Amino acid sequence: MALKRMDNVGIVVDDLEETIDFFREIGLELEGRATIEGEWAGRVTGLGDQHVEIAMMRTPDGHSRLELSRFLTPPVVSDHRNAPVNALGYLRVMFAVDDLNETLERLYRRGTQLEGEVVDYQGVYRLCYIRGPGGLLIGLAQELG
């Protein structure tokens, strides 16, 4: 049996509306929203009784998705948003953009902060890390040439 695809990456957030708006600004599309709760959900996650609001965001090419989750119960137990880039575990998502300067300009108006600086990687990519809503670490890359 072969792996078919990666379905989505999940990110737990504090403010679902602000995070949806942020990822729309980057260029993702809201595919749908739902509330997840009930005995079956707790069996899948191991969290028991849970109540979660989710939003599924899709990249324009339709191949990749982000599942944004806001836990109402149980409460969030750990916060990795201020972890440095070299912390263990899942840390960031990288997006390819057409125009890095224009994307950053739009995101700066939303309060996004540059984590380091924009760099040119061997004339192949311009890339950077930014902090999005709630301190989420996001990578942006523009292919050159």
Short mmCIF file of all heavy atoms in Angstrom, two decimals, residues 33-99:
data_model
loop_
_atom_site.label_atom_id
_atom_site.label_comp_id
_atom_site.label_asym_id
_atom_site.label_seq_id
_atom_site.Cartn_x
_atom_site.Cartn_y
_atom_site.Cartn_z
N ARG A 33 -15.86 25.61 7.26
CA ARG A 33 -15.76 25.73 8.72
C ARG A 33 -16.66 24.70 9.35
O ARG A 33 -17.67 24.31 8.77
CB ARG A 33 -16.21 27.12 9.17
CG ARG A 33 -15.31 28.23 8.70
CD ARG A 33 -15.80 29.56 9.17
NE ARG A 33 -15.56 29.67 10.61
CZ ARG A 33 -15.32 30.80 11.23
NH1 ARG A 33 -15.31 31.92 10.56
NH2 ARG A 33 -15.10 30.83 12.52
N ALA A 34 -16.32 24.30 10.57
CA ALA A 34 -17.13 23.32 11.29
C ALA A 34 -16.82 23.39 12.77
O ALA A 34 -15.79 23.92 13.18
CB ALA A 34 -16.86 21.91 10.77
N THR A 35 -17.72 22.83 13.54
CA THR A 35 -17.49 22.62 14.97
C THR A 35 -17.35 21.12 15.16
O THR A 35 -18.19 20.35 14.69
CB THR A 35 -18.67 23.18 15.80
OG1 THR A 35 -18.76 24.59 15.57
CG2 THR A 35 -18.46 22.91 17.28
N ILE A 36 -16.29 20.74 15.82
CA ILE A 36 -16.02 19.33 16.06
C ILE A 36 -16.21 19.06 17.55
O ILE A 36 -15.55 19.70 18.39
CB ILE A 36 -14.57 18.95 15.64
CG1 ILE A 36 -14.28 19.39 14.21
CG2 ILE A 36 -14.32 17.48 15.88
CD1 ILE A 36 -15.12 18.72 13.15
N GLU A 37 -17.09 18.15 17.86
CA GLU A 37 -17.31 17.78 19.25
C GLU A 37 -17.97 16.41 19.28
O GLU A 37 -18.39 15.88 18.26
CB GLU A 37 -18.17 18.81 19.97
CG GLU A 37 -19.55 19.04 19.36
CD GLU A 37 -20.29 20.18 20.04
OE1 GLU A 37 -20.07 20.44 21.23
OE2 GLU A 37 -21.09 20.83 19.35
N GLY A 38 -18.01 15.84 20.44
CA GLY A 38 -18.65 14.55 20.59
C GLY A 38 -17.68 13.46 20.97
O GLY A 38 -16.46 13.62 20.88
N GLU A 39 -18.24 12.37 21.37
CA GLU A 39 -17.47 11.24 21.88
C GLU A 39 -16.47 10.71 20.85
O GLU A 39 -15.33 10.40 21.18
CB GLU A 39 -18.47 10.16 22.31
CG GLU A 39 -17.88 8.90 22.87
CD GLU A 39 -17.72 7.82 21.82
OE1 GLU A 39 -18.42 7.87 20.78
OE2 GLU A 39 -16.90 6.93 22.03
N TRP A 40 -16.86 10.64 19.58
CA TRP A 40 -15.98 10.12 18.54
C TRP A 40 -14.72 10.96 18.40
O TRP A 40 -13.62 10.45 18.22
CB TRP A 40 -16.70 10.02 17.20
CG TRP A 40 -16.97 11.38 16.60
CD1 TRP A 40 -18.07 12.15 16.77
CD2 TRP A 40 -16.10 12.12 15.74
NE1 TRP A 40 -17.95 13.34 16.09
CE2 TRP A 40 -16.73 13.34 15.44
CE3 TRP A 40 -14.84 11.87 15.19
CZ2 TRP A 40 -16.17 14.31 14.63
CZ3 TRP A 40 -14.28 12.85 14.37
CH2 TRP A 40 -14.94 14.06 14.10
N ALA A 41 -14.87 12.30 18.51
CA ALA A 41 -13.74 13.21 18.34
C ALA A 41 -12.72 13.02 19.46
O ALA A 41 -11.52 13.00 19.22
CB ALA A 41 -14.22 14.65 18.29
N GLY A 42 -13.21 12.87 20.67
CA GLY A 42 -12.32 12.65 21.80
C GLY A 42 -11.57 11.33 21.71
O GLY A 42 -10.44 11.21 22.18
N ARG A 43 -12.18 10.34 21.09
CA ARG A 43 -11.50 9.06 20.90
C ARG A 43 -10.37 9.18 19.90
O ARG A 43 -9.33 8.56 20.05
CB ARG A 43 -12.50 7.99 20.44
CG ARG A 43 -13.43 7.52 21.54
CD ARG A 43 -14.16 6.21 21.27
NE ARG A 43 -14.17 5.71 19.92
CZ ARG A 43 -15.19 5.81 19.06
NH1 ARG A 43 -16.31 6.40 19.41
NH2 ARG A 43 -15.09 5.30 17.85
N VAL A 44 -10.56 10.00 18.87
CA VAL A 44 -9.52 10.19 17.86
C VAL A 44 -8.32 10.92 18.45
O VAL A 44 -7.18 10.53 18.25
CB VAL A 44 -10.07 10.96 16.64
CG1 VAL A 44 -8.94 11.36 15.70
CG2 VAL A 44 -11.10 10.14 15.91
N THR A 45 -8.56 12.00 19.19
CA THR A 45 -7.47 12.85 19.69
C THR A 45 -6.92 12.40 21.04
O THR A 45 -5.83 12.82 21.42
CB THR A 45 -7.95 14.30 19.85
OG1 THR A 45 -9.01 14.33 20.83
CG2 THR A 45 -8.43 14.88 18.53
N GLY A 46 -7.68 11.60 21.77
CA GLY A 46 -7.27 11.21 23.11
C GLY A 46 -7.53 12.29 24.15
O GLY A 46 -7.09 12.18 25.28
N LEU A 47 -8.27 13.33 23.78
CA LEU A 47 -8.54 14.44 24.69
C LEU A 47 -9.84 14.29 25.45
O LEU A 47 -10.19 15.14 26.26
CB LEU A 47 -8.56 15.77 23.92
CG LEU A 47 -7.23 16.20 23.31
CD1 LEU A 47 -7.41 17.47 22.50
CD2 LEU A 47 -6.17 16.39 24.39
N GLY A 48 -10.60 13.25 25.18
CA GLY A 48 -11.90 13.09 25.86
C GLY A 48 -12.90 14.09 25.32
O GLY A 48 -12.98 14.33 24.12
N ASP A 49 -13.65 14.70 26.23
CA ASP A 49 -14.68 15.67 25.84
C ASP A 49 -14.01 16.90 25.26
O ASP A 49 -13.24 17.59 25.92
CB ASP A 49 -15.52 16.06 27.06
CG ASP A 49 -16.66 16.98 26.68
OD1 ASP A 49 -17.18 16.86 25.55
OD2 ASP A 49 -17.04 17.81 27.52
N GLN A 50 -14.28 17.18 24.00
CA GLN A 50 -13.68 18.35 23.36
C GLN A 50 -14.72 19.10 22.54
O GLN A 50 -15.70 18.52 22.07
CB GLN A 50 -12.49 17.96 22.49
CG GLN A 50 -12.86 17.15 21.27
CD GLN A 50 -11.64 16.76 20.45
OE1 GLN A 50 -10.62 16.40 21.00
NE2 GLN A 50 -11.75 16.86 19.15
N HIS A 51 -14.46 20.38 22.38
CA HIS A 51 -15.30 21.26 21.57
C HIS A 51 -14.32 22.17 20.83
O HIS A 51 -13.65 23.00 21.45
CB HIS A 51 -16.23 22.06 22.47
CG HIS A 51 -17.21 22.90 21.72
ND1 HIS A 51 -18.36 23.36 22.28
CD2 HIS A 51 -17.24 23.35 20.44
CE1 HIS A 51 -19.03 24.09 21.40
NE2 HIS A 51 -18.36 24.08 20.28
N VAL A 52 -14.25 22.02 19.51
CA VAL A 52 -13.24 22.70 18.70
C VAL A 52 -13.91 23.34 17.49
O VAL A 52 -14.70 22.70 16.80
CB VAL A 52 -12.16 21.71 18.20
CG1 VAL A 52 -11.06 22.44 17.45
CG2 VAL A 52 -11.61 20.89 19.35
N GLU A 53 -13.59 24.60 17.24
CA GLU A 53 -14.01 25.26 16.01
C GLU A 53 -12.86 25.13 15.02
O GLU A 53 -11.71 25.42 15.37
CB GLU A 53 -14.28 26.74 16.25
CG GLU A 53 -15.42 27.02 17.19
CD GLU A 53 -15.55 28.51 17.49
OE1 GLU A 53 -14.54 29.25 17.41
OE2 GLU A 53 -16.67 28.93 17.80
N ILE A 54 -13.15 24.68 13.79
CA ILE A 54 -12.09 24.55 12.80
C ILE A 54 -12.44 25.30 11.52
O ILE A 54 -13.62 25.53 11.22
CB ILE A 54 -11.78 23.07 12.46
CG1 ILE A 54 -12.94 22.41 11.71
CG2 ILE A 54 -11.38 22.29 13.70
CD1 ILE A 54 -12.55 21.13 11.01
N ALA A 55 -11.39 25.68 10.82
CA ALA A 55 -11.53 26.27 9.49
C ALA A 55 -10.49 25.60 8.61
O ALA A 55 -9.32 25.46 9.01
CB ALA A 55 -11.29 27.78 9.53
N MET A 56 -10.89 25.16 7.43
CA MET A 56 -9.97 24.53 6.49
C MET A 56 -9.63 25.56 5.42
O MET A 56 -10.52 26.09 4.75
CB MET A 56 -10.59 23.29 5.86
CG MET A 56 -9.61 22.43 5.12
SD MET A 56 -8.34 21.69 6.16
CE MET A 56 -9.26 20.39 6.95
N MET A 57 -8.33 25.85 5.29
CA MET A 57 -7.84 26.81 4.30
C MET A 57 -7.12 26.02 3.21
O MET A 57 -6.36 25.10 3.50
CB MET A 57 -6.87 27.80 4.96
CG MET A 57 -7.41 28.53 6.18
SD MET A 57 -8.75 29.70 5.84
CE MET A 57 -7.95 30.90 4.80
N ARG A 58 -7.35 26.40 1.95
CA ARG A 58 -6.80 25.69 0.80
C ARG A 58 -5.89 26.62 -0.01
O ARG A 58 -6.22 27.79 -0.23
CB ARG A 58 -7.94 25.18 -0.07
CG ARG A 58 -7.51 24.40 -1.30
CD ARG A 58 -8.70 23.97 -2.16
NE ARG A 58 -9.44 25.14 -2.63
CZ ARG A 58 -10.74 25.36 -2.38
NH1 ARG A 58 -11.45 24.51 -1.70
NH2 ARG A 58 -11.33 26.44 -2.85
N THR A 59 -4.77 26.10 -0.47
CA THR A 59 -3.90 26.88 -1.35
C THR A 59 -4.58 27.04 -2.71
O THR A 59 -5.42 26.22 -3.08
CB THR A 59 -2.52 26.21 -1.52
OG1 THR A 59 -2.71 24.88 -2.02
CG2 THR A 59 -1.75 26.17 -0.21
N PRO A 60 -4.22 28.08 -3.46
CA PRO A 60 -4.87 28.32 -4.76
C PRO A 60 -4.78 27.15 -5.74
O PRO A 60 -5.68 26.95 -6.54
CB PRO A 60 -4.14 29.55 -5.31
CG PRO A 60 -3.60 30.24 -4.11
CD PRO A 60 -3.28 29.15 -3.13
N ASP A 61 -3.71 26.36 -5.65
CA ASP A 61 -3.58 25.22 -6.57
C ASP A 61 -4.44 24.03 -6.15
O ASP A 61 -4.55 23.05 -6.89
CB ASP A 61 -2.12 24.80 -6.74
CG ASP A 61 -1.51 24.23 -5.46
OD1 ASP A 61 -2.21 24.09 -4.43
OD2 ASP A 61 -0.30 23.93 -5.49
N GLY A 62 -5.04 24.10 -4.96
CA GLY A 62 -5.93 23.04 -4.49
C GLY A 62 -5.24 21.82 -3.93
O GLY A 62 -5.89 20.85 -3.53
N HIS A 63 -3.92 21.83 -3.85
CA HIS A 63 -3.18 20.65 -3.42
C HIS A 63 -2.85 20.62 -1.93
O HIS A 63 -2.55 19.55 -1.40
CB HIS A 63 -1.88 20.50 -4.21
CG HIS A 63 -2.11 20.24 -5.66
ND1 HIS A 63 -2.70 19.09 -6.14
CD2 HIS A 63 -1.85 21.00 -6.75
CE1 HIS A 63 -2.79 19.14 -7.45
NE2 HIS A 63 -2.28 20.30 -7.85
N SER A 64 -2.82 21.75 -1.25
CA SER A 64 -2.41 21.80 0.15
C SER A 64 -3.47 22.50 0.99
O SER A 64 -4.15 23.40 0.52
CB SER A 64 -1.08 22.54 0.29
OG SER A 64 -0.08 21.91 -0.50
N ARG A 65 -3.55 22.08 2.26
CA ARG A 65 -4.53 22.66 3.17
C ARG A 65 -3.93 22.89 4.54
O ARG A 65 -3.05 22.15 4.98
CB ARG A 65 -5.73 21.73 3.31
CG ARG A 65 -6.59 21.67 2.07
CD ARG A 65 -7.68 20.61 2.16
NE ARG A 65 -8.51 20.62 0.98
CZ ARG A 65 -8.16 20.16 -0.21
NH1 ARG A 65 -6.97 19.65 -0.39
NH2 ARG A 65 -8.99 20.20 -1.23
N LEU A 66 -4.45 23.92 5.21
CA LEU A 66 -4.18 24.18 6.62
C LEU A 66 -5.48 24.00 7.37
O LEU A 66 -6.50 24.56 6.97
CB LEU A 66 -3.70 25.61 6.85
CG LEU A 66 -2.29 25.99 6.48
CD1 LEU A 66 -2.05 27.46 6.81
CD2 LEU A 66 -1.29 25.13 7.20
N GLU A 67 -5.45 23.24 8.45
CA GLU A 67 -6.61 23.13 9.32
C GLU A 67 -6.33 23.99 10.55
O GLU A 67 -5.43 23.70 11.34
CB GLU A 67 -6.84 21.68 9.76
CG GLU A 67 -8.06 21.54 10.65
CD GLU A 67 -8.28 20.11 11.10
OE1 GLU A 67 -8.44 19.24 10.21
OE2 GLU A 67 -8.29 19.87 12.31
N LEU A 68 -7.08 25.07 10.69
CA LEU A 68 -6.95 25.97 11.83
C LEU A 68 -7.95 25.53 12.88
O LEU A 68 -9.14 25.39 12.59
CB LEU A 68 -7.23 27.41 11.40
CG LEU A 68 -6.40 27.92 10.22
CD1 LEU A 68 -6.87 29.31 9.83
CD2 LEU A 68 -4.92 27.91 10.55
N SER A 69 -7.48 25.33 14.11
CA SER A 69 -8.34 24.84 15.19
C SER A 69 -8.30 25.77 16.38
O SER A 69 -7.22 26.17 16.82
CB SER A 69 -7.88 23.45 15.66
OG SER A 69 -7.89 22.53 14.62
N ARG A 70 -9.47 26.11 16.89
CA ARG A 70 -9.58 26.90 18.12
C ARG A 70 -10.28 26.01 19.15
O ARG A 70 -11.47 25.70 19.00
CB ARG A 70 -10.38 28.17 17.88
CG ARG A 70 -10.54 28.99 19.15
CD ARG A 70 -11.26 30.30 18.86
NE ARG A 70 -11.61 30.95 20.10
CZ ARG A 70 -12.84 30.96 20.62
NH1 ARG A 70 -13.85 30.40 19.98
NH2 ARG A 70 -13.06 31.55 21.76
N PHE A 71 -9.54 25.59 20.16
CA PHE A 71 -10.09 24.71 21.19
C PHE A 71 -10.85 25.52 22.22
O PHE A 71 -10.31 26.42 22.84
CB PHE A 71 -8.97 23.92 21.88
CG PHE A 71 -8.55 22.70 21.13
CD1 PHE A 71 -7.68 22.79 20.06
CD2 PHE A 71 -9.04 21.45 21.48
CE1 PHE A 71 -7.29 21.67 19.35
CE2 PHE A 71 -8.68 20.32 20.77
CZ PHE A 71 -7.80 20.43 19.71
N LEU A 72 -12.13 25.18 22.38
CA LEU A 72 -12.94 25.78 23.44
C LEU A 72 -12.81 24.91 24.70
O LEU A 72 -12.68 25.43 25.80
CB LEU A 72 -14.39 25.91 23.00
CG LEU A 72 -14.57 26.72 21.70
CD1 LEU A 72 -16.00 26.66 21.21
CD2 LEU A 72 -14.13 28.15 21.91
N THR A 73 -12.87 23.58 24.52
CA THR A 73 -12.58 22.63 25.59
C THR A 73 -11.93 21.41 24.96
O THR A 73 -12.32 21.03 23.85
CB THR A 73 -13.85 22.16 26.36
OG1 THR A 73 -14.77 21.61 25.44
CG2 THR A 73 -14.47 23.28 27.16
N PRO A 74 -10.96 20.83 25.59
CA PRO A 74 -10.26 21.33 26.78
C PRO A 74 -9.39 22.53 26.43
O PRO A 74 -9.11 22.78 25.25
CB PRO A 74 -9.41 20.14 27.21
CG PRO A 74 -9.12 19.40 25.94
CD PRO A 74 -10.36 19.59 25.08
N PRO A 75 -8.94 23.27 27.45
CA PRO A 75 -8.10 24.43 27.17
C PRO A 75 -6.74 24.03 26.60
O PRO A 75 -6.28 22.91 26.81
CB PRO A 75 -7.95 25.10 28.54
CG PRO A 75 -8.22 24.02 29.53
CD PRO A 75 -9.18 23.07 28.87
N VAL A 76 -6.13 24.94 25.88
CA VAL A 76 -4.79 24.74 25.32
C VAL A 76 -3.82 24.55 26.49
O VAL A 76 -3.89 25.26 27.49
CB VAL A 76 -4.37 25.95 24.46
CG1 VAL A 76 -2.94 25.84 23.99
CG2 VAL A 76 -5.32 26.09 23.27
N VAL A 77 -2.91 23.57 26.37
CA VAL A 77 -2.02 23.26 27.49
C VAL A 77 -0.58 23.70 27.27
O VAL A 77 0.21 23.69 28.21
CB VAL A 77 -2.03 21.75 27.81
CG1 VAL A 77 -3.40 21.32 28.28
CG2 VAL A 77 -1.57 20.93 26.64
N SER A 78 -0.19 24.03 26.07
CA SER A 78 1.19 24.40 25.80
C SER A 78 1.23 25.45 24.71
O SER A 78 0.34 25.51 23.87
CB SER A 78 1.97 23.15 25.37
OG SER A 78 3.33 23.42 25.26
N ASP A 79 2.27 26.27 24.73
CA ASP A 79 2.37 27.37 23.77
C ASP A 79 3.76 27.36 23.16
O ASP A 79 4.75 27.59 23.84
CB ASP A 79 2.11 28.69 24.49
CG ASP A 79 1.96 29.86 23.54
OD1 ASP A 79 2.41 29.76 22.38
OD2 ASP A 79 1.41 30.89 23.96
N HIS A 80 3.83 27.08 21.86
CA HIS A 80 5.10 27.01 21.15
C HIS A 80 5.35 28.22 20.26
O HIS A 80 6.31 28.24 19.51
CB HIS A 80 5.16 25.75 20.29
CG HIS A 80 4.94 24.50 21.05
ND1 HIS A 80 5.91 23.94 21.83
CD2 HIS A 80 3.86 23.70 21.18
CE1 HIS A 80 5.44 22.85 22.41
NE2 HIS A 80 4.20 22.69 22.03
N ARG A 81 4.48 29.22 20.33
CA ARG A 81 4.55 30.32 19.38
C ARG A 81 5.82 31.16 19.50
O ARG A 81 6.21 31.80 18.55
CB ARG A 81 3.33 31.22 19.51
CG ARG A 81 2.06 30.54 19.06
CD ARG A 81 0.88 31.39 19.33
NE ARG A 81 0.72 31.51 20.77
CZ ARG A 81 -0.26 32.20 21.35
NH1 ARG A 81 -1.13 32.82 20.63
NH2 ARG A 81 -0.34 32.26 22.66
N ASN A 82 6.44 31.17 20.65
CA ASN A 82 7.64 31.98 20.80
C ASN A 82 8.91 31.16 20.70
O ASN A 82 10.00 31.64 20.98
CB ASN A 82 7.60 32.74 22.13
CG ASN A 82 6.48 33.75 22.13
OD1 ASN A 82 6.28 34.46 21.15
ND2 ASN A 82 5.72 33.81 23.20
N ALA A 83 8.77 29.91 20.28
CA ALA A 83 9.94 29.05 20.12
C ALA A 83 10.80 29.56 18.98
O ALA A 83 10.29 30.02 17.96
CB ALA A 83 9.50 27.61 19.84
N PRO A 84 12.12 29.49 19.12
CA PRO A 84 12.99 29.91 18.03
C PRO A 84 12.94 28.92 16.87
O PRO A 84 12.44 27.80 17.01
CB PRO A 84 14.39 29.93 18.68
CG PRO A 84 14.28 28.97 19.81
CD PRO A 84 12.85 29.04 20.29
N VAL A 85 13.47 29.31 15.74
CA VAL A 85 13.41 28.52 14.52
C VAL A 85 14.09 27.15 14.70
O VAL A 85 13.74 26.19 14.03
CB VAL A 85 14.05 29.29 13.35
CG1 VAL A 85 14.16 28.45 12.10
CG2 VAL A 85 13.24 30.55 13.07
N ASN A 86 15.02 27.02 15.64
CA ASN A 86 15.72 25.75 15.83
C ASN A 86 15.11 24.88 16.93
O ASN A 86 15.74 23.94 17.40
CB ASN A 86 17.21 25.99 16.10
CG ASN A 86 17.45 26.76 17.38
OD1 ASN A 86 16.57 27.43 17.90
ND2 ASN A 86 18.66 26.68 17.89
N ALA A 87 13.87 25.14 17.35
CA ALA A 87 13.20 24.32 18.36
C ALA A 87 12.75 23.00 17.75
O ALA A 87 12.43 22.93 16.56
CB ALA A 87 11.99 25.07 18.93
N LEU A 88 12.73 21.93 18.56
CA LEU A 88 12.28 20.64 18.08
C LEU A 88 10.78 20.63 17.81
O LEU A 88 10.02 21.33 18.49
CB LEU A 88 12.60 19.55 19.12
CG LEU A 88 14.08 19.26 19.34
CD1 LEU A 88 14.24 18.27 20.49
CD2 LEU A 88 14.71 18.71 18.08
N GLY A 89 10.35 19.83 16.87
CA GLY A 89 8.93 19.66 16.59
C GLY A 89 8.48 20.48 15.39
O GLY A 89 9.27 21.16 14.74
N TYR A 90 7.18 20.40 15.12
CA TYR A 90 6.61 21.16 14.00
C TYR A 90 6.59 22.62 14.39
O TYR A 90 6.11 22.99 15.45
CB TYR A 90 5.19 20.68 13.71
CG TYR A 90 5.15 19.24 13.32
CD1 TYR A 90 4.72 18.27 14.21
CD2 TYR A 90 5.58 18.83 12.07
CE1 TYR A 90 4.70 16.94 13.87
CE2 TYR A 90 5.56 17.50 11.71
CZ TYR A 90 5.12 16.56 12.61
OH TYR A 90 5.11 15.25 12.27
N LEU A 91 7.09 23.45 13.52
CA LEU A 91 7.27 24.84 13.92
C LEU A 91 6.67 25.85 12.96
O LEU A 91 6.09 26.84 13.39
CB LEU A 91 8.76 25.12 14.09
CG LEU A 91 9.14 26.49 14.63
CD1 LEU A 91 8.61 26.64 16.06
CD2 LEU A 91 10.63 26.67 14.61
N ARG A 92 6.81 25.62 11.67
CA ARG A 92 6.37 26.64 10.72
C ARG A 92 5.86 26.01 9.45
O ARG A 92 6.10 24.86 9.17
CB ARG A 92 7.51 27.60 10.40
CG ARG A 92 8.69 26.90 9.74
CD ARG A 92 9.16 27.63 8.52
NE ARG A 92 10.31 26.98 7.94
CZ ARG A 92 10.24 26.13 6.92
NH1 ARG A 92 9.09 25.82 6.38
NH2 ARG A 92 11.34 25.59 6.42
N VAL A 93 5.18 26.84 8.66
CA VAL A 93 4.72 26.47 7.33
C VAL A 93 5.36 27.47 6.38
O VAL A 93 5.43 28.66 6.68
CB VAL A 93 3.17 26.56 7.24
CG1 VAL A 93 2.69 26.26 5.85
CG2 VAL A 93 2.52 25.64 8.25
N MET A 94 5.84 26.99 5.23
CA MET A 94 6.46 27.85 4.23
C MET A 94 5.55 27.94 3.01
O MET A 94 5.04 26.92 2.54
CB MET A 94 7.83 27.28 3.82
CG MET A 94 8.53 28.01 2.70
SD MET A 94 9.37 29.55 3.13
CE MET A 94 10.72 28.99 4.14
N PHE A 95 5.34 29.15 2.53
CA PHE A 95 4.52 29.39 1.35
C PHE A 95 5.36 30.01 0.24
O PHE A 95 6.19 30.89 0.50
CB PHE A 95 3.37 30.34 1.65
CG PHE A 95 2.36 29.79 2.60
CD1 PHE A 95 2.38 30.15 3.93
CD2 PHE A 95 1.39 28.89 2.16
CE1 PHE A 95 1.45 29.63 4.82
CE2 PHE A 95 0.47 28.37 3.05
CZ PHE A 95 0.50 28.74 4.38
N ALA A 96 5.14 29.57 -0.99
CA ALA A 96 5.75 30.19 -2.17
C ALA A 96 4.85 31.32 -2.61
O ALA A 96 3.64 31.15 -2.71
CB ALA A 96 5.90 29.16 -3.29
N VAL A 97 5.43 32.50 -2.85
CA VAL A 97 4.67 33.68 -3.29
C VAL A 97 5.27 34.22 -4.58
O VAL A 97 6.45 34.00 -4.86
CB VAL A 97 4.64 34.78 -2.19
CG1 VAL A 97 3.94 34.27 -0.93
CG2 VAL A 97 6.03 35.28 -1.86
N ASP A 98 4.45 34.94 -5.35
CA ASP A 98 4.92 35.53 -6.60
C ASP A 98 5.82 36.73 -6.35
O ASP A 98 6.80 36.93 -7.05
CB ASP A 98 3.74 35.99 -7.46
CG ASP A 98 2.98 34.83 -8.07
OD1 ASP A 98 3.59 33.76 -8.27
OD2 ASP A 98 1.78 34.98 -8.33
N ASP A 99 5.43 37.59 -5.39
CA ASP A 99 6.12 38.85 -5.15
C ASP A 99 6.27 39.02 -3.65
O ASP A 99 5.33 39.40 -2.96
CB ASP A 99 5.32 39.99 -5.77
CG ASP A 99 6.00 41.34 -5.67
OD1 ASP A 99 6.80 41.56 -4.74
OD2 ASP A 99 5.72 42.19 -6.53
#
